[in-house]
Amino acid sequence: MSSRRKSRLKRAGKNELAPADIVDGLSKEELLATHLDWQPDRLEALKGLLDAKEPWPEHWHWDWSKKAGLLDFMAYRCIGIECEGRMQGLMMASTLARSSRVGPTGRAVLYVEYIESAPWNLKDLVDEPKFSGVGIALLEAAIELSEEEGFGGRIALHSLPQSEAFYRKYMTDMGPDQSHEGLCYFEMSAEQARLFLEGGK
Amino acid sequence: MKVMRMSDELFLKRAAEEDGCMISAVGLQPLHAKKAESGQQLGEPIRFAFSTLISYRRRALRMTMEDVAQKAKVELDELLEIEENLSYVPEVRTVHRLADLLKLPIPQLLVLSGNAKAATAELTEAAVRFAARSRAVEKLNPEQSNALNEFVKVLVEQKGKETVKK
């Protein structure tokens, strides 16, 4: 059963916060409901990109409904951020610890299997995105989950090319990983996690 | 209720930096999906199963790390490495001592600890299943106790089946 805790998002284009909820432990049904909610906006944006002869984002072949099967395993947790009645972003993390490749190697890290923002929050897809900070709020939740699991706030993920600049600000870029189709592997150490949450250099 | 550690001011700054950019990340090969492949490629889940097994078994027997270190004559530092460092391969002697104390079969524990290879896929698959069902929380809930009991049952059933030394 999912649980909620307070979070926030930034209204795009304004220096203003909107109250939001981190929804932890989403069920398959909630995941599918979000997928269905996002689909019309995805298709609309896709149509616009096709009309403009623009390439579409590389993660569009993702189907969260296909990822729902992972939730049969206790080790997978799906976390969403909800604002104004709609899910604004989704993340699935594996608590099946992997070894860190940064700093003291071999320490357990929380691996983020998937992360995505709702289509209406992406400026590549819509002229006026609704909310910003979905990635920040979900990374914050991932760090908290890592701490809760005893992984010291360490997290890791493989970024799609168009998202690398975002992760490079806060995580160590370990470069292309040939075992993951050449996607860049990023890792956040315990110290980077602390700096991410508390600021400072 | 958890308190958000990032201040609103810092959140606004970071959210402005994000500025509606793509944040997509994708793990292409969930670890449990690899179970059909050879055991050699399952190193991390198997090693994770070993750490988790030692930790769960210790807690099921209501022992602290200090208790185990003292009774098994293992350094506390080494026990910490065993439970937390997935790249640490303990000495065979240490594995024997832990197996004795925690009443776990030695050959299977040698496989899980990285000191021997499994002769059959059954053990590696059970280890991956156990790892995927496990989460590192302080107190075992009934579901975790069941996962532990099922895995220990597989280990005991494997007793007598050969393992191959590395």
Side-chain angles (χ1 to χ4, degrees):
Chain A
M1 193 175 156
S2 59
S3 63
R4 287 171 178 265
R5 59 181 187 272
K6 296 290 173 205
S7 186
R8 63 291 193 228
L9 289 174
K10 177 180 173 294
R11 292 190 193 282
K14 296 179 184 174
N15 196 37
E16 185 183 307
L17 291 173
D21 280 343
I22 287 288
V23 190
D24 192 353
L26 287 171
S27 66
K28 281 184 188 178
E29 291 72 23
E30 288 168 312
L31 195 57
L32 293 176
T34 301
H35 171 66
L36 291 173
D37 185 36
W38 288 9
Q39 200 63 354
D41 289 76
R42 286 167 179 255
L43 294 175
E44 184 66 26
L46 176 60
K47 188 174 173 298
L49 292 174
L50 286 174
D51 288 347
K53 294 192 163 73
E54 294 277 342
W56 62 77
E58 294 178 39
H59 66 298
W60 273 44
H61 60 285
W62 297 11
D63 183 345
W64 280 91
S65 62
K66 288 180 183 164
K67 313 291 181 277
L70 292 176
L71 296 179
D72 287 336
F73 294 87
M74 271 177 68
Y76 289 90
R77 283 266 280 277
C78 192
I79 295 174
I81 181 157
E82 193 181 270
C83 187
E84 296 185 350
R86 295 179 89 179
M87 211 57 86
Q88 305 293 335
L90 283 174
M91 172 176 73
M92 192 179 286
S94 163
T95 59
L96 187 59
R98 296 186 180 206
S99 301
S100 62
R101 305 181 196 175
V102 174
T105 55
R107 298 291 171 194
V109 295
L110 180 91
Y111 184 71
V112 176
E113 290 280 356
Y114 304 100
I115 185 166
E116 191 179 8
S117 186
W120 52 80
N121 292 324
L122 300 173
K123 65 180 180 185
D124 282 356
L125 303 185
V126 294
D127 293 334
E128 292 181 10
K130 287 191 175 171
F131 298 105
S132 192
V134 170
I136 300 297
L138 290 176
L139 279 183
E140 190 180 24
I143 293 168
E144 285 176 357
L145 178 57
S146 169
E147 289 176 341
E148 186 186 309
E149 295 290 329
F151 301 164
R154 289 179 292 271
I155 59 173
L157 54 83
H158 284 87
S159 169
L160 291 194
Q162 68 269 33
S163 313
E164 288 171 8
F166 172 68
Y167 292 110
R168 207 167 280 126
K169 286 177 193 155
Y170 312 111
M171 302 171 81
T172 302
D173 180 358
M174 301 293 284
D177 182 346
Q178 295 314 320
S179 69
H180 274 68
E181 296 187 6
L183 294 180
C184 282
Y185 176 79
F186 286 85
E187 203 169 290
M188 183 182 276
S189 67
E191 178 60 10
Q192 285 171 320
R194 190 188 65 77
L195 289 174
F196 176 78
L197 294 177
E198 297 170 9
K201 290 187 177 178
Chain B
M1 175 68 75
K2 275 186 187 171
V3 179
M4 291 176 291
R5 274 167 60 189
M6 191 186 292
S7 67
D8 286 350
E9 188 187 3
L10 183 59
F11 183 86
L12 276 171
K13 178 174 172 274
R14 299 230 189 282
E17 286 169 356
E18 183 178 326
D19 190 28
C21 74
M22 291 279 178
I23 58 163
S24 307
V26 56
L28 298 171
Q29 296 167 301
L31 291 176
H32 71 87
K34 292 184 182 176
K35 66 183 179 184
E37 299 174 16
S38 79
Q40 290 310 295
Q41 289 167 305
L42 296 170
E44 284 186 343
I46 289 178
R47 183 58 185 76
F48 183 60
F50 175 68
S51 291
T52 310
L53 175 65
I54 297 295
S55 170
Y56 275 28
R57 188 72 167 169
R58 170 177 68 73
R59 283 145 55 194
L61 296 171
R62 297 180 187 280
M63 294 169 87
T64 64
M65 276 195 168
E66 286 83 358
D67 292 338
V68 172
Q70 193 180 20
K71 289 178 182 168
K73 294 188 171 56
V74 174
E75 290 294 327
L76 189 56
D77 286 354
E78 189 174 15
L79 195 58
L80 268 170
E81 290 291 306
I82 287 170
E83 289 201 9
E84 292 181 7
N85 184 353
L86 302 183
S87 62
Y88 180 74
V89 178
E91 293 285 330
V92 172
R93 186 179 49 191
T94 302
V95 177
H96 275 258
R97 288 176 174 175
L98 289 174
D100 278 347
L101 180 70
L102 301 175
K103 299 186 177 16
L104 293 167
I106 291 169
Q108 285 67 39
L109 221 52
L110 286 171
V111 171
L112 298 176
S113 66
N115 280 291
K117 291 176 188 170
T120 67
E122 199 180 337
L123 177 61
T124 51
E125 284 177 10
V128 172
R129 232 175 13 248
F130 173 65
R133 290 176 64 186
S134 307
R135 286 184 44 216
V137 291
E138 201 47 46
K139 195 176 172 189
L140 299 187
N141 63 33
E143 203 170 353
Q144 288 161 340
S145 292
N146 285 343
L148 172 64
N149 291 339
E150 279 175 30
F151 187 43
V152 171
K153 195 176 159 206
V154 171
L155 293 182
V156 172
E157 283 169 355
Q158 290 271 313
K159 215 170 180 176
K161 291 185 184 174
E162 284 188 8
T163 55
V164 182
K165 273 192 181 173
K166 264 187 173 174

